């Protein structure tokens, strides 16, 4: 191959540069970025070509050596001619042997060691031959006549020209030809002038041309062999990729002839269709697609493929559905027409992909986008769409519908005790029962244990009957493995259009109805009542106003005295929240506190009350102040640090502060509750358990938590004389508290008779209207003086002092500041 054929699109400059680089590598010099393996393969190919050509060169040189011995036998020394012929012949035989040996070596594998050794042997043989031939002109030229000199020069010229023949290894060419050129120069020096000088000059020009030409040819040969190795490697890679592409993936190559018959890809089509490859012999693609086309979806795409093929147009990403032995399969086809060099149509070439799995995955994703993964019910997204559709319909017709908002009762307890796996299975069973009861209507899972039903075209009576069936059906026990689980459901019902015609309003009112069902004891259904919405609006406005009131310092703390039953002395005060709402008068704390707890604002109120109470208590000459703190606040990890900070800021001694908590703090408490109570008590702050004897009272609380005092709820004091069992309970609490070194405070003491009974039962502190309702901080000093004056023993001859007359209860209840 000529140089232009080797580099058909390269410029001369680029070709020269590549040839120089190739020559550098071929000569063993520095090489460029070619991969080591490619370089080894290329050098092995160079050696192979050199040894292949060396066979012919060796035979030729041996024949020339023998011919020269014959021609010059009578006019040259016999010993030299015999020696030259013998040496050349033996070296040529060695060359043939080396060529045969290395051909066998490279047949199995090419190694770097074998390549290096082959280069070394080739160069050694070339040098030995070059030196052997170099002696010939040096010995024969000086003593011969001109006729024989022409023979010698002709032989030397042929040997120099052999540099082109010995192949692409430039080192071999130089080692063979250079000694011959040197020997020729030596022989010409012995010839008569000026013929010898003339021939020497011509020889130098010719030798220079030969060496530079050989160098360039060797470089081009190296580049040719390197390109061939790269192409071969790429071909192998492409072949492997195509084989893997067809056999190891869901994609395949397909092609047809000009008549539309399958070629090569027939076996692949047959396997995908579940048919024998022989059944598809001579079948055309278009009839094949039509024959196996699935009903319905995909037929339009098949006709699109047919139209493109008939018009000989390319097509991309056309998905067809086909009936196979494995069910319906989906293929995506790409194809384009192929033409020969003369522009004649020779068929179609393309790629097919089996996208059945991806379409199934997409369908699953689309399903999950609108359905709950656990129960399979439509999810909140579908619910919102259904709700909007129902509201649209009612605007244009007389149709009536109902929205059921369902919340499971007792599900959290099952989930916590039995685990989430059982809880998930229970939710599936609930979904199944709801579908059985409300199947004709839309059943949705909104999340957690919340469900919804959109009942279309139902009146009130039918909707309420449906809700009753759902409540009754979900009340029946569920069997999960060996366990029988009992839960219930509360349902709130809102009607379209009676209650709302906007989706958001309808949902809010169904939620309010659900709240009413929960408030009425759960396990029932309730319809929306406008009073519920009014209550929510009132609470929302109350939340806004009380936040503004606290910021504007409109809230107050009043203090109710705590009196020692024996001495009659005031031991301290309990802080109680009061709020005189502008334009509306005193607001009951019983209304404020639940709203504040529901919104979390109770924490801010508690912080304010704690700081205000500690500040006011500084003026009481060592009397204790009790502040009731919300369970939300006590559960906060940093509560004990807040209390310590308030004591530092106000300067109140820790033993003068008493924190009252209710039993709700102790239900499902975490480690932070015990830590807060323990650390506060360690600093001297007293801890009191409020409203003991009600709610979830447990004796274990008294041993587990560090209390200094228990407070008996006012419900035990009311009708104390008429209810002996109440006296027994109070007495039991007092005995238990004394055994645990705790004080007992009794709330709600209103009469002297109650006080006498409680004093006999050895209770410690009384609190109630007998002494005073809660009063502002400015009246505390006078209140102390009045209570203690009444408790002093009478002077001789003086009147018997008495407690101040009970003050009539105000219109608001006494509720603590949290």
């Amino acid at each position: 191959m000529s140089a232009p054929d080797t580099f058909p699109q390269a410029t001369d400059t680029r070709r020269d540069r590549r040839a120089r680089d190739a020559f550098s590598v071929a000569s063993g010099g520095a090489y460029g970025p070619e991969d080591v393996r490619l370089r080894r393969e290329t050098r092995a190919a160079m050696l192979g070509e050199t040894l292949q050509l060396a066979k012919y060169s060796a035979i030729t040189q041996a024949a020339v050596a023998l011919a020269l011995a014959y021609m010059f036998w009578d006019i040259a020394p016999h010993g030299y001619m015999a020696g030259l012929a013998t040496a050349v012949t033996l070296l040529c035989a060695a060359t043939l042997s080396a060529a045969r040996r290395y051909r066998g070596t490279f047949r199995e594998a090419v190694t770097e060691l074998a390549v290096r050794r082959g280069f070394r042997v080739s160069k050694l043989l070339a040098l030995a031959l070059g030196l052997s031939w170099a002696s010939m002109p040096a010995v024969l030229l000086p003593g011969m006549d001109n006729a024989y000199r022409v023979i010698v020069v002709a032989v030397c010229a042929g040997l120099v020209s052999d540099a082109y023949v010995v192949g692409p290894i430039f080192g071999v060419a130089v080692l063979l030809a250079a000694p011959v050129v040197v020997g020729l120069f030596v022989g010409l020096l012995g010839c008569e002038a000026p013929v010898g000088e003339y021939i020497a000059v011509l020889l130098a020009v010719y030798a220079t041309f030969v060496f530079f030409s050989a160098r360039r040819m060797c470089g081009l040969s190296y580049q040719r062999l390197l390109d061939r190795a790269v192409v071969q490697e790429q071909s192998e890679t492409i072949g492997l990729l195509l084989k893997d592409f067809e056999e190891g993936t869901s994609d395949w190559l397909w092609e047809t002839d000009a008549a539309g018959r399958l070629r090569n890809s027939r076996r692949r089509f047959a396997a995908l269709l579940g048919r024998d490859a022989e059944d598809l012999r001579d079948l055309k693609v278009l009839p094949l697609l039509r024959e196996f086309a699935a009903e319905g979806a995909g037929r339009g795409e098949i006709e699109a493929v047919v139209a493109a093929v008939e018009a000989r147009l390319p097509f991309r990403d056309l998905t067809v559905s086909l009936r196979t032995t494995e069910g319906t399969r989906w293929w995506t086809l790409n194809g384009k027409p192929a033409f020969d060099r003369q522009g004649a149509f020779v068929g179609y070439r393309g790629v097919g992909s089996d996208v059945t799995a991806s379409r199934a995955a997409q369908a699953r994703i689309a399903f999950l986008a609108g359905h709950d993964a656990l129960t399979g019910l439509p999810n909140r997204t579908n619910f919102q769409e259904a709700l909007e559709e129902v509201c649209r319909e009612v605007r244009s017709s007389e149709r009536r519908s109902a929205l059921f908002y369902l919340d499971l009762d007792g599900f959290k307890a099952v989930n916590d005790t039995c685990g989430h796996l059982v809880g998930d299975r229970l939710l599936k069973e609930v979904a199944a029962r709801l579908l059985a009861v409300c199947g004709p209507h839309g059943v949705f899972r909104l999340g957690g244990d919340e469900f919804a039903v959109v009942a279309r075209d139902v009146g009130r009576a039918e909707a309420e009957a449906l809700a009753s069936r759902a409540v009754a059906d979900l009340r029946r026990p569920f069997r999960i493995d060996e366990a029988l689980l009992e839960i219930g459901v509360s349902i709130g019902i809102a009607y379209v259009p009676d209650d709302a015609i906007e989706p958001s309003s309808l949902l809010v009112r169904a939620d309010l109805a659900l709240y009413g069902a929960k408030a009425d004891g759960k396990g029932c259904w309730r319809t929306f009542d406008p009073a519920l919405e009014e209550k929510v609006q009132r609470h929302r406005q109350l939340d806004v106003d009380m936040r503004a009131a606290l910021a504007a310092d409109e809230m107050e703390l009043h203090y109710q005295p705590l009196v020692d039953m024996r001495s009659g002395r005031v031991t301290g005060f309990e802080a109680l929240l009061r709020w005189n709402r502008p334009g509306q008068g005193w607001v009951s704390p019983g209304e404020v506190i639940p709203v504040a707890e529901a919104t979390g604002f109770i924490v801010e109120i508690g912080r304010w009350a704690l700081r205000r109470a500690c500040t006011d208590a500084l003026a009481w000459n060592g009397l204790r102040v009790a502040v009731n703190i919300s369970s939300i606040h006590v559960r906060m990890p940093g509560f004990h640090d807040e209390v310590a900070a308030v004591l530092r800021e106000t300067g109140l001694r820790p033993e003068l502060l008493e924190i009252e908590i209710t039993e709700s703090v102790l239900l499902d408490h975490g480690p932070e509750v015990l830590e807060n109570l323990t650390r506060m008590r360690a600093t001297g702050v007293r801890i009191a358990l409020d409203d003991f004897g009600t709610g979830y009272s447990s004796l274990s609380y008294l041993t587990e938590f560090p209390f200094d005092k228990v407070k008996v709820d006012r419900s035990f004091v009311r009708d104390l004389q008429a209810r002996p069992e109440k006296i027994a309970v109070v007495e039991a609490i007092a005995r238990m508290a004394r055994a645990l070194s705790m004080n007992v405070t009794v709330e709600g003491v209103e009469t002297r008779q109650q006080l006498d009974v409680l004093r006999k039962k050895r209770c410690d502190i009384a609190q109630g209207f007998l002494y005073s309702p809660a009063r502002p901080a400015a009246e505390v000093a006078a209140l102390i003086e009045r209570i203690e004056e009444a408790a002093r023993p009478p002077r001789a001859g003086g009147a018997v002092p008495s407690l101040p007359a009970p003050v009539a209860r105000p219109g608001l209840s006494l509720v603590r500041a949290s």
Side-chain angles (χ1 to χ4, degrees):
M1 182 180 293
S2 63
D5 291 336
T6 307
F7 304 97
Q9 297 180 358
T11 64
D12 291 340
T13 302
R14 182 183 175 197
R15 193 160 55 237
D16 292 342
R17 184 171 60 254
R18 294 174 67 184
R20 285 195 301 272
D21 294 341
F23 168 74
S24 175
V25 176
S27 303
Y31 58 94
E34 288 88 359
D35 179 78
V36 173
R37 190 179 64 82
L38 287 176
R39 176 178 176 270
R40 184 174 63 247
E41 295 287 344
T42 304
R43 285 166 53 83
M46 294 168 60
L47 183 59
E49 285 196 2
T50 298
L51 294 176
Q52 181 66 28
L53 294 171
K55 294 188 300 180
Y56 307 109
S57 177
I59 294 172
T60 303
Q61 290 186 42
V64 170
L66 293 175
L68 283 177
Y70 174 76
M71 285 185 250
F72 287 86
W73 186 260
D74 293 331
I75 57 175
H78 293 175
Y80 170 74
M81 295 307 300
L84 176 63
T86 302
V88 170
T89 301
L90 291 176
L91 289 172
C92 289
T95 300
L96 294 173
S97 175
R100 185 169 55 256
R101 176 183 176 186
Y102 278 92
R103 191 181 309 113
T105 300
F106 293 150
R107 184 174 292 115
E108 295 181 357
V110 177
T111 64
E112 186 63 29
L113 178 62
V115 171
R116 286 201 302 268
R117 186 176 297 167
F119 267 68
R120 191 179 304 117
V121 170
S122 298
K123 291 178 180 179
L124 287 175
L125 289 172
L127 178 60
L129 280 170
L131 292 175
S132 298
W133 283 115
S135 64
M136 187 264 295
V139 173
L140 298 181
L141 278 180
M144 297 293 171
D145 57 24
N146 290 333
Y148 285 97
R149 286 176 178 171
V150 171
I151 296 175
V152 173
V153 171
V155 171
C156 290
L159 291 172
V160 172
S161 300
D162 205 27
Y164 293 116
V165 180
V166 293
I169 303 178
F170 184 67
V172 174
V174 170
L175 291 175
L176 176 63
V180 176
V181 173
V182 173
L184 192 55
F185 275 119
V186 172
L188 290 174
L189 291 177
C191 297
E192 59 275 9
V195 177
E197 288 82 352
Y198 293 160
I199 295 177
V201 171
L202 295 175
L203 176 63
V205 173
Y206 177 68
T208 301
F209 166 75
V210 169
F211 288 147
F212 278 100
S213 299
R215 181 180 184 275
R216 178 173 172 75
M217 295 300 296
C218 289
L220 294 175
S221 296
Y222 174 80
Q223 189 61 50
R224 171 178 55 81
L225 296 172
L226 176 62
D227 291 342
R228 188 175 69 184
V230 170
V231 169
Q232 182 177 359
E233 181 187 36
Q234 292 176 345
S235 299
E236 293 174 355
T237 302
I238 292 172
L240 290 174
L241 289 175
L242 290 176
K243 183 177 180 181
D244 181 69
F245 178 78
E246 282 198 310
E247 296 180 358
T249 70
S250 61
D251 299 345
W252 70 94
L253 302 175
W254 63 275
E255 61 177 321
T256 69
D257 58 17
R261 289 185 294 268
L262 284 171
R263 295 176 52 194
N264 301 329
S265 48
R266 185 173 64 251
R267 187 177 301 279
R268 182 65 169 175
F269 265 71
L272 292 169
L273 294 174
R275 297 282 295 273
D276 190 271
E278 294 300 320
D279 296 342
L280 303 185
R281 184 180 296 277
D282 298 328
L283 285 181
K284 296 183 179 181
V285 171
L286 301 184
L288 182 68
L289 293 178
R290 283 173 169 163
E291 177 185 351
F292 286 92
E295 295 297 331
R299 283 190 172 272
E301 299 285 3
I302 289 178
E303 294 306 317
V305 172
V306 171
V309 172
E310 290 178 346
R312 296 184 180 176
L313 296 175
F315 55 88
R316 288 186 59 81
D317 299 331
L318 293 180
T319 303
V320 300
S321 59
L322 303 174
R323 293 175 289 102
T324 72
T325 55
E326 299 178 359
T328 301
R329 308 294 295 180
W330 293 85
W331 293 358
T332 294
L333 299 177
N334 300 309
K336 65 178 181 178
F339 302 90
D340 60 17
R341 293 184 178 182
Q342 287 72 39
F345 175 72
V346 295
Y348 259 83
R349 307 289 183 270
V351 178
S353 304
D354 191 323
V355 295
T356 305
S358 64
R359 285 184 67 92
Q362 291 171 2
R364 178 64 176 167
I365 292 172
F367 176 83
L368 292 178
H371 291 76
D372 173 50
L374 178 64
T375 62
L377 294 176
N379 61 11
R380 188 178 291 273
T381 301
N382 270 333
F383 167 71
Q384 193 64 35
E385 294 174 356
L387 208 57
E388 292 173 356
E389 183 179 353
V390 165
C391 292
R392 281 196 305 270
E393 290 173 352
V394 79
R395 295 190 188 101
S396 59
S397 66
E398 298 298 323
R399 301 173 67 178
R400 294 292 183 267
S401 298
L403 168 63
F404 294 1
Y405 201 170
L406 299 83
D407 185 79
L408 301 183
D409 303 323
F411 174 76
K412 184 178 184 300
V414 172
N415 211 32
D416 291 343
T417 56
C418 300
H420 293 289
L421 292 179
V422 172
D424 289 347
R425 294 177 61 185
L426 180 58
L427 288 174
K428 292 181 181 179
E429 294 292 333
V430 168
R433 289 193 186 181
L434 283 176
L435 285 173
V437 174
C438 309
H441 307 286
V443 181
F444 305 85
R445 184 188 178 203
L446 305 185
D449 59 349
E450 295 182 357
F451 295 82
V453 176
V454 177
R456 297 172 181 267
D457 302 324
V458 294
R460 285 182 174 269
E462 186 180 353
E464 292 170 3
L466 182 64
S468 297
R469 290 199 302 273
V471 170
D473 207 45
L474 294 185
R475 189 182 291 129
R476 293 188 293 107
F478 292 83
R479 179 173 293 280
I480 306 295
D481 293 333
E482 301 301 322
L484 277 178
L485 305 177
E486 295 187 10
I487 59 172
V489 66
S490 299
I491 303 177
I493 306 175
Y495 294 98
V496 186
D498 298 345
D499 296 326
I501 58 173
E502 292 295 332
S504 57
S505 299
L506 187 66
L507 184 59
V508 167
R509 289 172 180 177
D511 191 24
L512 289 173
L514 174 63
Y515 174 81
K518 292 283 190 182
D520 288 346
K522 303 180 180 180
C524 60
W525 58 265
R526 293 292 180 267
T527 58
F528 169 72
D529 185 347
L532 293 171
E533 194 165 35
E534 294 172 5
K535 182 179 180 180
V536 170
Q537 293 293 342
R538 185 169 64 252
H539 284 179
R540 187 177 294 118
Q541 187 60 47
L542 186 64
D543 177 53
V544 173
D545 291 347
M546 71 179 176
R547 291 174 187 269
L550 186 64
D553 202 23
E554 294 176 359
M555 289 187 175
E556 305 176 30
L557 285 184
H558 288 191
Y559 298 94
Q560 188 173 32
L562 304 171
V563 182
D564 187 291
M565 292 186 185
R566 288 171 180 77
S567 66
R569 298 183 62 83
V570 177
T571 63
F573 290 86
E574 180 179 4
L576 301 171
L577 179 66
R578 295 293 181 266
W579 177 22
N580 191 359
R581 194 176 184 184
Q584 300 186 38
W586 294 99
V587 181
S588 169
E591 187 174 9
V592 172
I593 301 305
V595 174
E597 287 186 332
T599 62
F601 188 61
I602 191 67
V603 175
E604 292 300 319
I605 294 177
R607 288 169 179 161
W608 167 83
L610 187 62
R611 184 172 286 100
R612 176 62 61 87
C614 290
T615 301
D616 291 344
L618 290 173
W620 297 349
N621 297 321
L623 294 182
R624 184 176 294 116
V625 63
V627 183
N628 193 288
I629 298 297
S630 165
S631 60
I632 300 173
H633 202 172
V634 177
R635 287 191 176 103
M636 296 177 66
F639 176 67
H640 62 274
D641 292 328
E642 291 184 22
V643 175
V646 169
L647 292 173
R648 286 195 303 270
E649 292 171 8
T650 60
L652 185 70
R653 301 199 309 272
E655 61 270 17
L656 299 182
L657 175 63
E658 186 170 271
I659 299 296
E660 295 186 2
I661 64 172
T662 58
E663 292 169 327
S664 61
V665 178
L666 310 178
L667 296 175
D668 298 326
H669 65 85
E672 64 278 353
V673 173
L674 182 59
E675 181 184 5
N676 281 330
L677 299 182
T678 303
R679 292 184 64 172
M680 284 191 297
R681 197 163 185 260
T683 62
V685 176
R686 292 169 57 84
I687 309 296
L689 179 60
D690 197 9
D691 296 338
F692 186 78
T694 63
Y696 300 93
S697 298
S698 172
L699 298 181
S700 64
Y701 295 154
L702 300 181
T703 58
E704 182 180 357
F705 292 92
F707 295 113
D708 297 285
K709 180 173 73 176
V710 294
K711 299 187 69 175
V712 179
D713 186 71
R714 67 184 69 248
S715 62
F716 292 99
V717 180
R718 194 178 303 117
D719 301 328
L720 192 62
Q721 294 86 353
R723 301 279 300 274
E725 66 274 13
K726 289 191 175 183
I727 298 176
V729 171
V730 171
E731 183 179 14
I733 294 174
R735 288 181 179 178
M736 178 182 61
R738 286 195 302 273
L740 296 174
S741 302
M742 298 179 186
N743 292 330
V744 177
T745 294
V746 182
E747 301 176 304
V749 180
E750 299 183 356
T751 67
R752 171 73 69 173
Q753 292 77 13
Q754 292 172 345
L755 180 64
D756 291 339
V757 172
L758 295 172
R759 187 186 292 124
K760 289 179 183 179
K761 298 307 176 183
R762 300 180 64 184
C763 295
D764 302 305
I765 305 296
Q767 176 183 353
F769 275 38
L770 175 64
Y771 298 103
S772 174
R775 305 303 299 164
E779 300 180 19
V780 165
L783 184 60
I784 295 173
E785 179 65 25
R786 186 166 65 248
I787 293 174
E788 294 189 350
E789 177 66 26
R792 293 190 186 102
R795 300 183 185 91
V800 177
S802 62
L803 289 170
V807 181
R809 293 185 180 90
L812 72 134
S813 351
L814 297 175
V815 180
R816 292 155 188 80
S818 64

